[in-house]
């Protein structure tokens, strides 16, 4: 089976400061990868490059066999780590906005997920809590029929109930024809659903592999391995 995502020696510099250094990895279809590392490790930079929002300084990557920018943007659904909706919008306005913008957006699925998330289609963005906004953005991101879903810290700053709902939605949306990359430092909440792991530190992948293989070979949970690997960062 061909990888759905292939990254070769990807680099990104901001002026003279390296943000990513020779990142190389493959991701197979139907997998959920946890991209883990402390703040400032390069996680957001990598996701923005893969989504087509940033240009790399070097190296290459392809999604579903294509490295064309237009194809990549069409194949990727990116969930940013901040609110991207207008305050005046209602949840339904956001759904209609995405439906106009993305050809692969499934409105019926969006309304179904809105109900699952217990969000009201008439509620305005400006009145939503952080947890509600996270859930709405998740609805919008996962209502696309994308090949790769990129999620930047989807659990950060939300309460445990919202986290559980978000994780449930990720599982509910999982498909053998697409893959998900979740950037997070909240390892415990997300560990049970991960197939693959990539630990990123100072712009480099310092450990990666199948999640279960890592647990067996090291005799520890992914959370414990994370603490061992990044002990010096705390």
């Amino acid at each position: 089976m061909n990888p759905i995502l292939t990254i070769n020696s990807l680099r990104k510099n901001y002026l003279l400061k390296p943000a990513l250094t020779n990142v190389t990895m493959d991701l197979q279809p139907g997998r959920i990868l946890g991209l883990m590392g402390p703040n400032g490790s390069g996680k957001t930079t990598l996701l923005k490059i893969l989504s087509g929002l940033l240009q790399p300084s070097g190296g290459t990557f392809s999604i579903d066999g294509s490295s064309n920018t237009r194809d990549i943007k069409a194949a990727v659904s990116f969930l940013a780590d901040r609110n991207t909706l207008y305050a005046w919008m209602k949840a339904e306005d956001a759904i209609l906005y995405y439906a106009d913008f993305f050809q692969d957006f499934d409105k019926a699925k969006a309304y179904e997920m809105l109900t699952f998330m217990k969000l009201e289609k008439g509620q305005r963005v400006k009145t939503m809590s952080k947890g509600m906004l996270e859930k709405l953005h998740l609805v919008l991101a996962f209502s696309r029929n994308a090949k790769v879903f990129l999620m930047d810290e989807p659990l950060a700053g939300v309460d445990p109930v919202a986290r559980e709902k978000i994780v449930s939605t990720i599982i509910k949306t999982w498909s053998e024809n697409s893959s998900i990359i979740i950037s997070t430092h909240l390892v415990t909440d997300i560990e049970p659903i991960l197939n693959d792991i990539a630990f990123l530190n100072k712009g480099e992948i310092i450990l990666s592999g199948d999640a279960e293989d890592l647990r067996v070979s090291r005799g520890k949970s992914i959370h414990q391995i994370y603490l061992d690997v990044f002990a010096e960062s705390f």
Side-chain angles (χ1 to χ4, degrees), residues 111-129:
Y111 285 119
E112 178 187 339
M113 288 180 63
L114 204 68
T115 300
F116 176 74
M117 288 290 197
K118 296 183 178 179
L119 295 173
E120 297 292 335
K121 63 182 182 180
Q123 184 168 1
R124 296 189 186 277
V125 167
K126 65 182 178 183
T127 68
M128 292 183 182
S129 66

Side-chain angles (χ1 to χ4, degrees), residues 34-38 43 184 187 190 194 197-200 222 226 230:
L35 181 64
M36 302 179 178
K43 302 189 300 297
T184 186
V187 184
I190 214 75
L194 299 178
I197 304 294
F199 287 158
L200 193 65
I222 299 301
Y226 180 95
F230 294 107

